Amino acid sequence: MLFTPERHEPVTGSPFVESGARAAIDRIVARTEAELDRADGRWPLDGADREREDEGPSSALYHGASGIVWALGELAGEPVFDRQFVESLEPKLAAEVDPTNYAEHGVWFGPAGAVAVAEHFWPDGSRRDRLEELARASLADPELEIMFGHPGYMALAAELYARTGEQRWAELWHAGADRLFEEWRYDEALRAWCWTQSFRGRDARYVGAAHGLIGNINVLLRGGDLLDAERRREVEARTVETLTSLAVVEDGRANWPPGAGDSLVANDRIRVQWCHGAAGVVSTLWSVAPEDGTWSELLLAGGRLVWETGPIRDAPGLCHGTAGNAYAFLGLWKRTGDEEWLERAHAFVVHAAEQVEERYARVGHAHHSLFSGDEGVAMCLASCIAGDAAMPIADGLI
């Protein structure tokens, strides 16, 4: 068994119509604007995103105000909130995080995310100085992953170097890349290249797009000219070897475990989503080794599993929901040119939008979060309209 059936549901099959998709985006945006706590400058934190019962509103990129502000600006094509509002998010985030917790130093949950969103809308040299300071401080952190560790800063550095040409960003990217290559170890028993992450106080060798191997590979490959041709070939070769070795394949379908060498089952379920499992592998690595037919077939096997398991029950969002899985189909459409994959992306994102509406009708308020809530669904709707396979934030923030 490659998935947990009770975590999924049949796709409704409602048609994708651009006008309908735009109307769904408009509904989400209208609720986001209406439900902002203007006195606080943030949105209520949904119960599904709380780790503590008394946890208040978040300013973070992943599930808080920074990510929501970024998404609304991307959807509108311009900043929706003024500069003062956006710049106020960094001190709020600094007050929210635990300075002794390395995980909260990262771009996705720490102050750098808020600074990066402001830099995206209003480039400023002094703000880039702040990002450089935070990036340098992250280089020795034990979390080797995009959300919590220095690879998240590498992604920012590559984007800032491409935009500004400032050499400091090339230097920071190469310093991060040197550490990644130094700590990328080969496991002969698994025939896999793995990183070990320190995750919430324990070591793990995560595979997924959010916390592990795949996310780091994406950072290296998205370095553009910063990654020389020889190293790019090496990264692609290691990627294909490792993901082929770690794949669990049954009847032309494929999935991947959360951790290298682990069972597919973790916490009593098998994940088929962006953060862990086939959807994240396919949506992140669809452009790797385009001429390798065997690798292409493995990616297609992952895509078939994502389609046949169906949308994720009660979870419309990006990280571990239906909209995030739609990006796997967009990637396969880009890789193969087969319109059936685009149609499948459309089917999933329409289903995700329907999940949003069903929840809103049931509870009377939206779930505000870029990666786990409604704003991520709006971003996926926009991606399907534009035919864009880029995953929000993971494939471009600045």
Side-chain angles (χ1 to χ4, degrees), residues 174-234:
H174 282 296
D178 287 345
R179 184 180 173 204
L180 282 182
F181 276 105
E182 179 183 347
E183 300 198 32
W184 201 2
R185 310 286 169 74
Y186 189 68
D187 185 315
E188 292 188 2
L190 294 178
R191 292 177 293 114
W193 290 89
C194 305
W195 282 284
T196 298
Q197 295 90 19
S198 175
F199 186 80
R200 296 180 176 174
R202 64 184 181 85
D203 287 345
R205 294 194 299 177
Y206 283 120
V207 174
H211 294 301
L213 174 82
I214 298 164
N216 289 348
I217 289 169
N218 195 39
V219 167
L220 289 170
L221 292 177
R222 293 186 64 82
D225 293 340
L226 294 169
L227 185 69
D228 65 49
E230 182 178 351
R231 278 234 154 143
R232 182 171 295 275
R233 287 191 293 271
E234 180 183 359

Side-chain angles (χ1 to χ4, degrees), residues 40-81:
D40 179 78
R42 293 172 294 186
W43 285 264
L45 185 67
D46 195 85
D49 293 323
R50 289 191 196 127
E51 294 193 355
R52 306 183 315 272
E53 190 64 33
D54 63 346
E55 193 172 1
S58 171
S59 305
L61 201 58
Y62 177 89
H63 64 331
S66 294
I68 295 167
V69 165
W70 179 86
L72 265 59
E74 293 300 287
L75 292 167
E78 61 184 5
V80 172
F81 298 93

Side-chain angles (χ1 to χ4, degrees), residues 1-11 250 255 264-265 268-272 305-314 355:
M1 177 64 71
L2 297 179
F3 68 105
T4 301
E6 55 267 28
R7 287 293 302 133
H8 299 267
E9 60 190 21
V11 67
E250 295 178 4
N255 201 3
L264 287 179
V265 179
D268 300 320
R269 58 185 167 137
I270 301 174
R271 289 161 174 79
V272 183
L305 179 72
V306 176
W307 173 249
E308 292 179 14
T309 59
I312 299 178
R313 189 181 301 278
D314 301 326
Q355 288 177 312

